[in-house]
Amino acid sequence: MDTAASMTAESRARWTDELRATLALAWPLILANLTMQLIQATDVVLLGWLGSKELAAAALGLSLSFGMILFALGVLTATSPMMASALGARSNAVRDVRRTFRQGLWAAALMAGPTLIVLWNAEKVILFFGQDPELSRLAGWFLRGYMWVIPPWMLFQVMRNFVSALERPGWVLVISTLGIPLNAIVSWSLIFGHLGLPKLGLIGGGIGSSVVWAAMALALGLVILTDRQFRRFHLFGRFWRPDWPRFRQLFKLGLPIGLTTGFEGGVFSAAAYLMGLFGASSVAAHQIALQIAATTFMVPLALGQATTVRVGLAYGRGDRAAIGLAGWTALGLSTAFMTLMATLMFIFPHELITLFLADTPENATVIALGVSFLRIAALFQIVDGWQVVGAGMLRGIHDTRVPMVFALFGYWAIGLGIGVALAFAMEWRGVGIWTGLAAGLGVVAVLMIRRWSRRDKLGLLPADA
């Protein structure tokens, strides 16, 4: 009895320790993710003040960039488990972390160029997808200012992964928090012509975001150069020198991650363009509901990021028990939080939608559509958390290729397939699109968690773990 009680107490202590470690790493990431999302939410609110047409145009522009940005984020995410595993193994950790970081910069530069070319020609691309010519013109104009977010944003993500791998994400939180009021002031001034700045309207919101992200990337770079713990890695020294073996390793791990996140982001972008076939009101409502769902998503996203680090550290040590503890702890936290968010979104959809758009008669159609979309979003909150934390758990053990196939099948074959059928064949319109999104997220979530549960049988752990 004493032995059994001792084992139970030891097990409880390990779970408690892992919970504390996960929260210690996750809470700054959660707040940092939320603050970064609030920067974009601020833009949505300000553009909503211009009118529903301007908001719909910005939504089409943001949707075009969304899938490409998420693809890049996924590729760059590979730097996180690679650096965490190097730190866990401890052998040549400084050198290995530096090599990964530098090739992360190379990867960012490689992806930024094609992305900027596409966004510069956004009007033509959006017209190609059958959208309204006026909305396409306005969306292209908005992106001429917003596209310059891409280079500093990518640089920021690589630096963020570095400080997170060292389990010091607090600086990301501080800088992101300062970015919210800065973005609100700069974008407000450029959109409406305040504080001596020109009144630029729609493009002003894009330029404001670009200025703020450049400032945030510069600030985090200065921290890395001056902080004693960070500067010993000499991350920016001779960053122009090629390291082709590490570059290939990064893309071998990161390309499937990028395709996974790109498939998810792409299906939401496709949903926005399908909404465009139903009119500007549907696009505007979709963007507002998506903004709210994306804000709640920032918490499980951060838990997934923290789990990648925690699992990666245990993976580097070859600690099988710690790998399992790290994964299941994050999944439990995500489930609890998303259950609460689902409840709030289902009960108070009108109140949430009208935070972004004035409750006036001319906005009544947009608000009604937004409410219907948000209630469906409430239904997929829990599985949305499961799929992103599940992906983070699997990335920690360097398993990325099969999750990529799960994403392609779940989001596009199931999610978009069901959405199109319901929207057009059943004439559910926008509600059908969102129902399909919910179905796709549910399928991916189940597949991710099932694969994690069978990680031992599938041989996903190294032989000595």
Side-chain angles (χ1 to χ4, degrees):
M1 292 292 292
D2 291 340
T3 301
S6 176
M7 292 178 63
T8 302
E10 181 181 352
S11 176
R12 187 181 299 114
R14 292 200 68 182
W15 280 101
T16 302
D17 290 343
E18 182 58 41
L19 178 63
R20 288 186 183 130
T22 299
L23 288 173
L25 177 59
W27 78 261
L29 290 173
I30 289 170
L31 294 177
N33 281 351
L34 286 172
T35 54
M36 287 189 287
Q37 182 62 28
L38 286 172
I39 290 173
Q40 188 177 94
T42 302
D43 288 336
V44 171
V45 171
L46 292 172
L47 293 171
W49 292 354
L50 283 175
S52 59
K53 182 176 73 172
E54 288 78 6
L55 178 58
L60 289 176
L62 291 170
S63 295
L64 179 61
S65 66
F66 189 52
M68 292 184 288
I69 285 176
L70 281 186
F71 169 77
L73 176 62
V75 173
L76 298 176
T77 294
T79 61
S80 181
M82 289 172 68
M83 288 187 282
S85 296
L87 291 167
R90 297 184 180 177
S91 176
N92 296 318
V94 171
R95 179 175 178 271
D96 279 344
V97 168
R98 180 168 59 244
R99 290 178 65 195
T100 297
F101 179 88
R102 290 174 179 173
Q103 296 315 297
L105 298 183
W106 278 55
L110 177 66
M111 293 183 290
T115 303
L116 292 175
I117 291 172
V118 172
L119 296 183
W120 184 262
N121 295 282
E123 181 180 353
K124 296 177 182 177
V125 176
I126 295 171
L127 279 171
F128 175 79
F129 289 114
Q131 301 303 303
D132 176 78
E134 177 65 10
L135 288 181
S136 300
R137 183 187 66 80
L138 290 173
W141 181 237
F142 167 74
L143 284 175
R144 287 292 175 93
Y146 184 81
M147 61 186 284
W148 304 111
V149 161
I150 302 300
W153 178 86
M154 288 187 180
L155 174 60
F156 190 90
Q157 300 312 313
V158 179
M159 294 188 292
R160 171 184 172 168
N161 289 343
F162 166 72
V163 299
S164 298
L166 268 70
E167 300 188 86
R168 287 190 57 196
W171 278 112
V172 178
L173 169 61
V174 171
I175 293 169
S176 301
T177 301
L178 293 175
I180 296 174
L182 178 63
N183 184 72
I185 293 170
V186 174
S187 294
W188 172 71
S189 299
L190 288 171
I191 291 172
F192 300 105
H194 297 297
L195 302 180
L197 295 175
K199 182 179 180 180
L200 300 178
L202 197 58
I203 195 175
I207 294 172
S209 295
S210 297
V211 170
V212 170
W213 275 108
M216 289 169 60
L218 177 61
L220 188 54
L222 289 174
V223 168
I224 290 174
L225 288 172
T226 56
D227 183 276
R228 178 181 298 179
Q229 185 179 358
F230 297 151
R231 71 188 183 199
R232 68 189 178 94
F233 288 86
H234 303 290
L235 295 178
F236 296 103
R238 299 181 180 179
F239 67 87
W240 57 86
R241 295 181 62 180
D243 184 351
W244 299 119
R246 185 55 56 97
F247 189 74
R248 287 191 294 269
Q249 183 183 356
L250 190 153
F251 267 91
K252 181 179 179 181
L253 180 63
L255 186 59
I257 301 175
L259 291 172
T260 300
T261 55
F263 288 147
E264 180 179 5
V267 79
F268 279 95
S269 297
Y273 284 94
L274 289 171
M275 290 289 180
L277 302 178
F278 303 132
S281 294
S282 293
V283 179
H286 171 79
Q287 182 62 30
I288 294 172
L290 181 60
Q291 196 68 52
I292 296 169
T295 300
T296 64
F297 176 74
M298 291 300 107
V299 175
L301 175 62
L303 287 169
Q305 292 164 337
T307 303
T308 296
V309 174
R310 294 294 302 165
V311 171
L313 290 169
Y315 183 82
R317 295 194 306 268
D319 189 337
R320 187 186 299 269
I323 289 173
L325 280 173
W328 293 121
T329 298
L331 191 69
L333 290 170
S334 172
T335 303
F337 175 79
M338 294 301 262
T339 299
L340 175 61
M341 291 302 100
T343 303
L344 292 176
M345 289 166 65
F346 196 82
I347 296 176
F348 303 109
H350 185 273
E351 290 78 3
L352 291 170
I353 294 293
T354 51
L355 290 175
F356 292 81
L357 203 62
D359 192 0
T360 59
E362 56 267 27
N363 292 330
T365 301
V366 177
I367 292 171
L369 287 170
V371 167
S372 64
F373 298 161
L374 199 57
R375 283 214 164 107
I376 298 171
L379 299 178
F380 66 61
Q381 288 297 286
I382 294 174
V383 293
D384 200 13
W386 284 1
Q387 62 85 18
V388 72
V389 173
M393 288 161 18
L394 292 170
R395 286 168 195 158
I397 55 176
H398 295 205
D399 179 41
T400 60
R401 293 187 179 182
V402 174
M404 173 190 69
V405 176
F406 290 165
L408 176 61
F409 171 72
Y411 297 135
W412 287 86
I414 301 298
L416 196 62
I418 290 177
V420 168
L422 292 176
F424 296 98
M426 300 296 292
E427 298 185 355
W428 287 17
R429 297 170 70 86
V431 171
I433 298 296
W434 273 76
T435 302
L437 294 175
L441 288 167
V443 168
V444 174
V446 171
L447 293 173
M448 292 286 193
I449 301 306
R450 184 173 184 271
R451 184 165 178 82
W452 170 258
S453 301
R454 302 180 68 233
R455 62 191 179 280
D456 287 331
K457 294 180 180 179
L458 295 173
L460 299 179
L461 301 180
D464 58 349

